[in-house]
Amino acid sequence: MEKRIKGSCTTILVGKKASIDGSTIISRNDDGHEALDPEKFVVINPADQPRHYQSVISGVKVELPDNPLRYTSIPNSILTNGIWPAAGINSDNVAMSATETITTNSRVMGIDPYVAGGLGEEDLVTLVLPYIHSAKEGVQRLGSLLAQYGTYEPNGIAFSDNNEIWWLETIGGHHWAAKRIPDDAYVVAPNRMNIDDFDFNADDTLASDDLEDLIAKYNLNPDFEGVNLRHIFGSATDKDTVYNNPRAWFGQKYFTPDVEHDPQDQDLPFICHANRKITIEDVKYVLSSHFENTKYDVYGDGSEADKTKFRPIGINRNHDVHILQIRNNVPDSIAGIHWLAFGANTFNTVVPFYANVDDTPAAYKDADGTFNLNHMYWLSCTTALLGDTDYDLYVDFRNTFALEAMGAYRKIQNDTDAAIENGADVKILKDANEKLSNESFTRQTKLLGDMVTFGSEHMKLRYNLND
């Protein structure tokens, strides 16, 4: 099997009673090992969906049904390692984000080893999203594929519809467990096994058929009482205390500031409740964060030891951030919103693209491996790189940009929603997405230009006779 260095992401899930407008929200930073790996935003129409699928990395072959749904997708631009679709919303308003790389332990590997010729992150959206009509059905389809083909890596996968959010984690080569996220709750999931308390007999859980028996047969439960899947199947390593747990801690600190935790705690809760209703802007802030207002902020005033101690959520290896929102209280034709931004998340904004379209704007669709500021991926990456050279110098530009841009996007969205509710044809959604793309591209270009103009006056390479 071709070796692909794994990336590492951060996931946020928000139930419909925890969000400000009654939407379900699943979101993730799609991070890679390398700083740059161009991505596209596309729509896969039924005619374009493969019927005979073969993975590039593992070579696994999967025969697919002949009735796929249309879906949005965020594939790699360079297909050396396969498509890697990352996330999308299908034409039945079901969303999927795949994957969050997670952890395991040697006890699991001794029972159910990984399958070199099995499924992996490269494959999952393509094999599942076009064929599901609810979030729970997504769990069931993926579970059956894992049982049949196995997997060569541990992953967490999110599914949502307008009513439910489900989170599935793979266990060993063929096993898995999933939990429905309570409507009034949120989750921040880093690169570790995240599900903790688990009741095999509850209505809000699903698992591979023999998972409960597996725990008993091989004496896997280290706890005297209860079933905690993170304790049983996950890890509690030194790396978790600096790479994973602090990210969950910061997200929980932001959404639930009155609860005190240690950033290195191995038992930070999976299911959490915020002290307010959560907005898209809140989710974007956390997915862009670097431990702001703590001594661990890489751009802050802490010691060098503190600033480099923990892995931040926002990082140079963010290739995209997607926030998949399935709205209630609007017509089904406009329920699915695929919020999207490219590049490191410190100097970009998410754009609320309508999912019910058959094509996407060129600025978001056509990026390839050649640097080109006409493509949003490269424009966003360039802005983030310049911002990183002197964060304090440029952050006010970023803040003004984000506030004004998000307001402009929401105005386009509000006008489009109103038109649809007043009987306009859904064909206007494609035009609305073009407006959103043009607005985003214009504002991102202006941000970069303002930063270049202002920053040029502060270059070290300067000389003035009056100095």
Side-chain angles (χ1 to χ4, degrees):
M1 183 174 72
E2 179 180 343
K3 178 178 175 59
R4 185 189 194 277
I5 299 175
K6 297 177 182 178
S8 53
C9 312
T10 308
T11 294
I12 296 177
L13 315 173
V14 182
K16 63 184 180 182
K17 292 183 180 179
S19 69
I20 196 169
D21 65 351
S23 302
T24 59
I25 297 170
I26 62 174
S27 61
R28 183 171 60 91
N29 283 346
D30 187 24
D31 303 345
H33 181 270
E34 57 289 314
L36 295 176
D37 192 359
E39 293 184 344
K40 303 178 179 184
F41 176 49
V42 301
V43 173
I44 308 300
N45 290 293
D48 302 320
Q49 173 70 3
R51 270 52 172 185
H52 312 285
Y53 178 84
Q54 182 169 0
S55 169
V56 171
I57 292 178
S58 71
V60 65
K61 295 180 180 180
V62 182
E63 295 300 308
L64 294 173
D66 198 32
N67 57 341
L69 299 171
R70 186 192 68 238
Y71 61 103
T72 57
S73 176
I74 324 170
N76 285 359
S77 296
I78 301 168
L79 301 180
T80 306
N81 292 304
I83 301 171
W84 291 73
I89 301 173
N90 72 24
S91 53
D92 268 7
N93 289 324
V94 180
M96 177 181 180
S97 180
T99 70
E100 183 77 30
T101 303
I102 60 172
T103 54
T104 188
N105 60 59
S106 60
R107 296 178 297 281
V108 178
M109 299 311 301
I111 299 165
D112 184 14
Y114 292 137
V115 180
L119 306 174
E121 182 173 351
E122 174 199 345
D123 317 303
L124 299 186
V125 170
T126 303
L127 300 184
V128 176
L129 183 58
Y131 309 102
I132 58 176
H133 308 278
S134 70
K136 187 174 182 179
E137 192 175 322
V139 170
Q140 292 165 330
R141 175 167 173 80
L142 178 54
S144 67
L145 289 170
L146 291 169
Q148 181 176 357
Y149 297 99
T151 182
Y152 55 81
E153 60 186 2
N155 283 310
I157 300 96
F159 299 94
S160 65
D161 52 41
N162 70 312
N163 189 44
E164 296 186 337
I165 297 173
W166 283 81
W167 175 254
L168 179 150
E169 293 185 321
T170 67
I171 297 167
H174 301 86
H175 292 83
W176 56 275
K179 190 163 188 173
R180 184 187 187 278
I181 308 307
D183 293 340
D184 63 348
Y186 74 88
V187 166
V188 181
N191 300 116
R192 63 170 188 204
M193 187 151 194
N194 290 281
I195 298 174
D196 47 24
D197 296 333
F198 196 84
D199 180 354
F200 282 95
N201 298 313
D203 292 335
D204 64 350
T205 64
L206 292 167
S208 45
D209 292 340
D210 62 340
L211 190 65
E212 187 173 18
D213 293 337
L214 197 79
I215 295 171
K217 178 179 180 180
Y218 290 96
N219 302 304
L220 296 177
N221 192 350
D223 297 326
F224 292 109
E225 296 182 356
V227 175
N228 184 312
L229 296 190
R230 194 187 310 165
H231 292 171
I232 296 169
F233 297 117
S235 61
T237 63
D238 291 341
K239 180 179 179 179
D240 287 326
T241 67
V242 294
Y243 196 84
N244 291 321
N245 305 343
R247 283 184 277 157
W249 166 79
F250 185 82
Q252 293 176 13
K253 177 181 172 67
Y254 179 79
F255 290 124
T256 320
D258 53 325
V259 177
E260 294 289 335
H261 290 299
D262 187 289
Q264 297 186 285
D265 188 353
Q266 302 280 25
D267 284 315
L268 292 169
F270 175 58
I271 301 297
C272 301
H273 295 85
N275 70 343
R276 62 193 183 281
K277 293 183 179 180
I278 296 172
T279 67
I280 295 293
E281 286 85 351
D282 288 329
V283 174
K284 173 61 166 66
Y285 176 82
V286 174
L287 289 174
S288 305
S289 63
H290 39 86
F291 301 113
E292 286 93 328
N293 300 313
T294 76
K295 63 183 179 179
Y296 309 114
D297 186 355
V298 68
Y299 296 128
D301 298 324
S303 68
E304 286 304 308
D306 284 332
K307 291 195 292 184
T308 57
K309 187 173 184 178
F310 298 146
R311 191 271 207 204
I313 295 174
I315 199 168
N316 66 324
R317 296 185 279 107
N318 300 146
H319 295 157
D320 80 67
V321 54
H322 52 266
I323 303 173
L324 307 182
Q325 179 186 26
I326 309 299
R327 301 187 292 174
N328 287 291
N329 306 313
V330 298
D332 288 346
S333 61
I334 56 173
I337 304 294
H338 189 136
W339 296 80
L340 179 65
F342 290 126
N345 290 328
T346 43
F347 284 82
N348 62 16
T349 56
V350 284
V351 181
F353 291 113
Y354 289 93
N356 186 19
V357 293
D358 60 7
D359 201 0
T360 52
Y364 281 79
K365 179 177 67 174
D366 293 340
D368 55 24
T370 301
F371 178 82
N372 186 339
L373 289 179
N374 291 315
H375 297 152
M376 182 54 76
Y377 177 86
W378 290 109
L379 179 60
S380 296
C381 291
T382 302
T383 313
L385 177 62
L386 178 58
D388 184 72
T389 63
D390 195 331
Y391 183 81
D392 289 339
L393 185 68
Y394 297 120
V395 68
D396 283 344
F397 288 90
R398 189 278 313 275
N399 292 341
T400 300
F401 155 74
L403 175 65
E404 294 178 350
M406 288 294 286
Y409 307 153
R410 287 191 177 277
K411 179 64 168 63
I412 294 171
Q413 185 183 47
N414 288 338
D415 291 346
T416 305
D417 285 357
I420 292 292
E421 289 170 350
N422 288 326
D425 194 286
V426 294
K427 292 179 181 178
I428 71 168
L429 300 182
K430 189 174 178 180
D431 293 334
N433 282 355
E434 288 290 344
K435 291 178 184 177
L436 288 162
S437 174
N438 291 339
E439 189 75 35
S440 171
F441 191 84
T442 299
R443 289 181 178 275
Q444 189 80 36
T445 301
K446 183 180 184 300
L447 172 62
L448 179 59
D450 289 345
M451 291 167 62
V452 169
T453 301
F454 186 74
S456 295
E457 297 293 335
H458 297 80
M459 290 176 64
K460 294 178 181 179
L461 188 65
R462 66 182 189 270
Y463 183 82
N464 190 313
L465 288 173
N466 295 322
D467 285 349

